[in-house]
Amino acid sequence: MIHIVLFQPEIPANTGNIFRTAMAIGAKVHLIRPLGFEINEKSLKRAGMDYFDEVDYTIYDNIDDFYKKNKNAKIYYVTRYASTTYDSNDYSDFTEDIYFMFGRESTGIPHDILRTNEEYLIRIPMVKNARSLNLSNSVAIVVYEASRQQEFFSLSTIEAIKGEDFLEREIKNK
């Protein structure tokens, strides 16, 4: 399973968008306090749409609480300070739990955490003068790469809600 770990997220709309992505990909979300918002905040739920209640998520008091409750987790830390790109690792085993940690919108993951996990640091390539991408976009890029490597295991690759031939039927009915 893919796990999205948000270290002290600050912007409710970003977290709501991440919840929507998590629902679409079947990922679990881990929120590490302090949060920059209340979990019932309107903007969080609006961004997550009606999927909010369908997402499996856990809130932790702090980073130590997260580590304690997720012993032996294989965690990749997404940071601009990494020299390995996010697509360089093998995430193809869909039976394995893979955790991707993303930092605060304003400051990222604390450097002391990064320094003690150097072999698991990954980055999203950007032009030299870019500091970062939007948090929810970064999450989507990384988790969809992991899902792609897993050949989109358990995800629909056709239009399942309106039907695979929806466009054909719509054209014929005009």
Side-chain angles (χ1 to χ4, degrees):
M1 172 180 259
I2 295 172
H3 297 260
I4 300 166
V5 182
L6 303 180
F7 179 85
Q8 301 179 354
E10 300 164 314
I11 301 172
N14 279 337
T15 301
N17 288 331
I18 292 164
F19 267 62
R20 190 173 178 180
T21 298
M23 183 278 174
I25 204 165
K28 179 173 180 169
V29 177
H30 304 263
L31 301 171
I32 300 171
R33 285 190 169 121
L35 309 178
F37 49 85
E38 294 297 321
I39 201 69
N40 60 357
E41 198 163 313
K42 186 192 262 186
S43 57
L44 174 71
K45 292 194 174 190
R46 183 179 13 208
M49 294 184 59
D50 56 341
Y51 304 128
F52 192 83
D53 294 329
E54 296 181 44
V55 176
D56 182 9
Y57 70 95
T58 302
I59 301 174
Y60 303 89
D61 290 332
N62 52 48
I63 190 73
D64 293 330
D65 185 33
F66 169 77
Y67 285 137
K68 181 180 173 186
K69 292 177 179 167
N70 294 280
K71 287 184 170 120
N72 303 317
K74 186 173 190 176
I75 306 169
Y76 292 95
Y77 300 83
V78 183
T79 175
R80 70 183 191 163
Y81 302 112
S83 55
T84 302
T85 59
Y86 70 97
D87 61 336
S88 298
N89 293 298
D90 181 3
Y91 314 117
S92 62
D93 184 355
F94 60 83
T95 64
E96 180 180 38
D97 284 327
I98 301 171
Y99 293 72
F100 295 103
M101 184 180 290
F102 299 84
R104 291 183 209 108
E105 288 91 339
S106 63
T107 59
I109 300 169
H111 298 176
D112 58 329
I113 293 173
L114 298 177
R115 279 192 294 273
T116 58
N117 294 287
E118 276 189 76
E119 65 188 283
Y120 295 104
L121 304 183
I122 57 175
R123 70 175 287 117
I124 299 170
M126 298 176 282
V127 296
K128 287 184 212 177
N129 61 339
R131 287 186 311 276
S132 65
L133 291 167
N134 173 275
L135 178 62
S136 62
N137 292 340
S138 297
V139 169
I141 289 167
V142 172
V143 299
Y144 266 93
E145 170 59 19
S147 185
R148 183 195 66 77
Q149 287 188 25
Q150 295 173 4
E151 298 179 6
F152 302 110
F153 176 77
S154 79
L155 302 182
S156 178
T157 56
I158 61 164
E159 170 49 51
I161 295 171
K162 292 185 177 183
E164 185 174 2
D165 62 344
F166 170 73
L167 287 177
E168 292 172 16
R169 288 184 286 120
E170 187 176 58
I171 291 168
K172 285 180 185 178
N173 291 331
K174 281 193 171 195

